Amino acid sequence: MVEDEIIAGNLALVRVRIAESAERARRDPHDVTLVAVTKTVPVEAVAAAYCAGVREFGENRVQEAERKVAHWRYLDIDRDDPARWHLIGHLQTNKARPAAGLFAMVQSVDSPRVAEALSRNVPAGHELPVLLEVNVSGEESKSGFALPGGRLDGATGPAFLADAIAIAGLPGLRVEGLMTVAPLTGNPETVRPHFRALRALRDRLRERVPQARWRHLSMGMTGDYPVAVEEGATIVRVGRAVFGERLA
Ligand SMILES: *Cc1c(COP(=O)(O)O)cnc(C)c1O
């Protein structure tokens, strides 16, 4: 189908750009995982991306993800090499139970309440990898722990540090790093300082909260993923550059 070929072509271009950015930063492109963001995207397009090699998919709403994953499992394409679903949007605590069973990673833990709700609902014997979502830009509208400039010595620093320590100690969860959503802008260079701030915060957390692994930096979307890779992203979350503009 023509649409499948467009998605495969888009993916090839995104992968080339990731590799070029990694090279500029003297990084191994294999250290960058592409999460294809499928919110509002039909499951046929998910299948096209899967056939073009994508294994990680991102959804921002639990209900949409539940419906899509049920449909996806019915297609039964990925039995030998399952797709992995990431939650990248704010989680309401009353959806923690389905979320804990559905997602391979929750990237959008933005409060101790959300972390505790997930911790209580992780199936016995499992560990759910999570990232802490941090708002380093100071934009009021953004979710995530507010930590302007990623500074632990600012007004919100001590409370964030205490929360990070508490979350790192919750059973059933494995804190693996940080996620951020940069401000939307036409010029990716204006977001570079925010990505740098997230990486510097990650480096400080490695010293201050050594009980967590802090290996992941999830940053970069369609408008800015090459800059994010240059600044150390290990996960980029790309929707429109893979599937085209969202209609909804
Ligand atoms: C929608 C979304 C993305 C992907 O955005 P694109 O601009 O389509 O690449 C990434 N991260 C989050 C948290 C999102 O909600």
Side-chain angles (χ1 to χ4, degrees), residues 37 39 60 88-89 179 181 220-223 237-241 246:
V37 176
K39 63 190 184 202
N60 67 338
I88 61 171
M179 185 269 244
V181 179
M221 307 167 36
T222 290
R237 311 176 307 269
V238 182
R240 289 169 301 140
R246 283 181 291 275

Side-chain angles (χ1 to χ4, degrees), residues 2-242:
V2 173
E3 202 184 327
D4 292 21
E5 284 165 17
I6 291 171
I7 289 170
N10 289 345
L11 275 165
L13 188 60
V14 169
R15 290 195 178 107
V16 166
R17 293 213 167 120
I18 289 172
E20 286 173 349
S21 299
E23 199 169 306
R24 277 195 294 277
R26 305 194 189 293
R27 301 184 56 209
D28 182 346
H30 295 103
D31 292 341
V32 183
T33 298
L34 170 63
V35 172
V37 176
T38 51
K39 63 190 184 202
T40 78
V41 170
V43 78
E44 292 78 7
V46 176
Y50 179 89
C51 292
V54 176
R55 293 294 176 272
E56 317 284 326
F57 297 94
E59 284 283 337
N60 67 338
R61 294 175 53 222
V62 175
Q63 257 174 330
E64 182 181 348
E66 278 185 295
R67 259 185 280 123
K68 200 170 291 177
V69 172
H71 186 173
W72 172 253
R73 288 184 180 153
Y74 175 76
L75 296 183
D76 199 24
I77 297 172
D78 65 342
R79 203 182 307 170
D80 298 327
D81 193 359
R84 293 157 43 84
W85 298 84
H86 297 242
L87 182 63
I88 61 171
H90 175 70
L91 177 66
Q92 288 168 294
T93 50
N94 62 354
K95 303 266 170 56
R97 178 182 288 275
L102 189 63
F103 293 104
M105 176 183 272
V106 174
Q107 299 197 8
S108 44
V109 169
D110 54 8
S111 71
R113 268 187 77 228
V114 163
E116 287 156 13
L118 282 170
S119 170
R120 280 195 299 276
N121 285 286
V122 174
H126 282 260
E127 243 186 5
L128 177 68
V130 299
L131 307 181
L132 305 187
E133 180 177 355
V134 182
N135 172 4
V136 292
S137 70
E139 270 189 310
E140 300 262 328
S141 59
K142 284 266 162 7
S143 57
F145 290 94
L147 202 66
R151 300 180 64 99
L152 289 174
D153 56 2
T156 54
F160 171 76
L161 195 57
D163 287 342
I165 290 167
I167 293 169
L170 289 174
L173 301 188
R174 194 164 71 228
V175 176
E176 295 204 328
L178 301 174
M179 185 269 244
T180 200
V181 179
L184 280 182
T185 156
N187 177 6
E189 284 306 319
T190 62
V191 299
R192 192 184 292 277
H194 302 307
F195 295 150
R196 273 198 189 148
L198 195 74
R199 182 174 64 182
L201 173 62
R202 191 269 315 265
D203 294 345
R204 284 191 292 273
L205 289 168
R206 279 183 169 155
E207 292 168 18
R208 306 286 294 272
V209 192
Q211 55 274 40
R213 272 192 73 193
W214 306 115
R215 63 191 181 117
H216 280 306
L217 282 176
S218 175
M219 54 190 197
M221 307 167 36
T222 290
D224 52 27
Y225 70 89
V227 176
V229 170
E230 286 175 11
E231 296 302 331
T234 63
I235 297 172
V236 293
R237 311 176 307 269
V238 182
R240 289 169 301 140
V242 174

